[in-house]
Amino acid sequence: MHNRFRISGVDKVTFGVTGPDDAIRFATDWGLAPVASSRQDSRLFRAQDGSEIEILRADDQDPARRPIGNSSGLCEITWGVTDPAALDELAEELGRDRAVSVDAEGTLHSSDDLGIRIAFRLTRRHRLPLEPTRYNSPGHPERIDRRGARYDQACPHEISHIAIGVDDAADAAAFYLERLGFLVSDRYANRGLFLRCAPAGNHHHLFLMNGRAPGTRLNHLAFKVRDVHEVIGGGQTISAKGWETFAGPGRHAVSSACFWYFNTPLGCAWEYAADEDIVTGSWESTDFAATAHIFSEWTFGLEKSDGRLRGPISQSKETETP
Ligand SMILES: [Fe+2]
């Protein structure tokens, strides 16, 4: 059954890093708000809607602080659920074949089939009274006698999705599809699967792709901002602060989002994303097999010398079977 556990999205991502000071500086420059953390030696940041990033010092001896596949990177993904009963149901389902524990705050901790630490909590994300961007399309003016918004700094609204490189994306997706009730929104040829946790909502919450390097490791984390202007304005500011572009700005072929990725000190890229497809149960999943090498409709500053575009897809490999 689709979304049998009423999962609403990524509530929190926990990083273990070798250099917390740089990671904290990056998260601050990114536009996230520092907030008090209830955990020792942890720094917590929040997007506008309550989505959270936690930064811990990586520690190989402590499973909760050991990033998967890298010296800095992903320690845990916390998924939000909409009601407390879902947590009990998840504990029962996952407890059938793996360790499950509940911490003092009521968050359920377990792991997926690849050993990625996953957690579930009552979502702390909330809907904001956000003024929508108004566009003046020919014949359909919506912004009258008002100048358009300008952005000197991005202020991410929410975590959109997380992308993870794995050895076999179809294999890795099985747990999410069969046990948690996720759906496949689109496929990127034989390179990866875009999964969403619920039939209606964001185009994808989890992108699993066949990593070029063996093993499991975080590829990128995307934050939704209000519009393409915030992607560009925020990206310019991050860039001016000395952080390096990984890819972009550009527009994805899959999910229609405008993007700008930056290399971070957190063992992965972070992405500003805007105007991603929002879907329902009527969405028709497409296999983008014919355009495997094209991850964007357009991108500025591309390195095309080897015929490939930079971006997450440049770090993926094809497999025989999707
Ligand atoms: Fe992305």
Side-chain angles (χ1 to χ4, degrees):
M1 189 175 82
H2 292 148
N3 201 18
R4 55 189 285 216
F5 301 111
R6 286 87 73 198
I7 298 169
S8 51
V10 178
D11 232 53
K12 175 181 167 185
V13 178
T14 302
F15 290 88
V17 298
T18 53
D21 290 347
D22 284 345
I24 288 162
R25 188 162 59 87
F26 184 84
T28 307
D29 288 350
W30 193 249
L32 300 176
V35 292
S37 173
S38 58
R39 199 165 165 185
Q40 255 203 331
D41 302 325
S42 137
R43 294 291 291 265
L44 202 59
F45 291 86
R46 215 166 265 164
Q48 287 189 64
D49 82 333
S51 318
E52 291 176 335
I53 297 299
E54 184 176 29
I55 298 172
L56 307 172
R57 182 181 288 280
D59 180 354
D60 252 9
Q61 305 306 311
D62 179 352
R65 292 170 181 264
R66 188 193 304 142
I68 194 156
N70 254 343
S71 51
S72 294
L74 176 65
C75 287
E76 188 175 59
I77 305 169
T78 302
W79 294 92
V81 300
T82 57
D83 63 277
L87 296 174
D88 297 333
E89 294 164 30
L90 277 158
E92 194 182 328
E93 166 64 24
L94 298 177
R96 291 199 288 124
D97 64 349
R98 63 199 69 211
V100 170
S101 65
V102 179
D103 68 20
E105 293 184 342
T107 300
L108 187 77
H109 300 270
S110 191
S111 56
D112 73 3
D113 283 354
L114 294 178
I116 298 170
R117 294 166 64 86
I118 51 172
F120 302 88
R121 72 181 185 190
L122 206 52
T123 183
R124 297 182 191 171
R125 291 172 57 162
H126 49 268
R127 197 183 288 261
L128 293 172
L130 191 78
E131 166 106 12
T133 304
R134 297 187 190 284
Y135 292 97
N136 289 332
S137 305
H140 298 276
E142 289 182 359
R143 196 185 71 251
I144 315 288
D145 294 334
R146 290 165 65 187
R147 301 181 201 279
R150 270 89 165 149
Y151 299 92
D152 295 327
Q153 162 80 58
C155 193
H157 184 269
E158 64 192 72
I159 292 175
S160 169
H161 60 265
I162 187 161
I164 300 175
V166 298
D167 288 327
D168 185 326
D171 211 34
F175 168 81
Y176 293 92
L177 298 171
E178 290 161 20
R179 302 291 295 278
L180 299 183
F182 282 35
L183 300 88
V184 176
S185 288
D186 280 317
R187 293 168 194 273
Y188 225 146
N190 298 336
R191 292 169 185 265
L193 296 157
F194 294 85
L195 307 179
R196 65 188 193 274
C197 63
N202 217 30
H203 174 274
H204 61 284
H205 301 96
L206 180 63
F207 177 42
L208 295 170
M209 65 181 212
N210 302 319
R212 210 171 252 204
T216 301
R217 69 182 53 79
L218 182 56
N219 181 272
H220 72 268
L221 178 66
F223 296 81
K224 205 182 281 277
V225 295
R226 204 168 75 134
D227 51 30
V228 61
H229 310 299
E230 190 170 3
V231 170
I232 304 290
Q236 283 191 148
T237 299
I238 277 278
S239 200
K241 287 181 177 175
W243 300 107
E244 215 177 74
T245 289
F246 170 52
R251 188 187 189 206
H252 284 302
V254 182
S255 87
S256 313
C258 287
F259 64 82
W260 197 341
Y261 296 85
F262 288 85
N263 293 322
T264 79
L266 294 106
C268 67
W270 280 17
E271 174 187 7
Y272 287 132
D275 196 21
E276 298 167 284
D277 291 330
I278 297 294
V279 305
T280 68
S282 306
W283 177 258
E284 288 181 20
S285 171
T286 297
D287 188 339
F288 285 76
T291 54
H293 62 295
I294 299 175
F295 93 110
S296 66
E297 177 199 5
W298 52 265
T299 307
F300 295 159
L302 279 177
E303 286 182 2
K304 291 180 175 171
S305 54
D306 64 354
R308 285 177 180 276
L309 306 181
R310 292 179 72 191
I313 213 65
S314 69
Q315 297 177 338
S316 72
K317 64 172 185 205
E318 282 192 273
T319 52
E320 300 267 309
T321 51

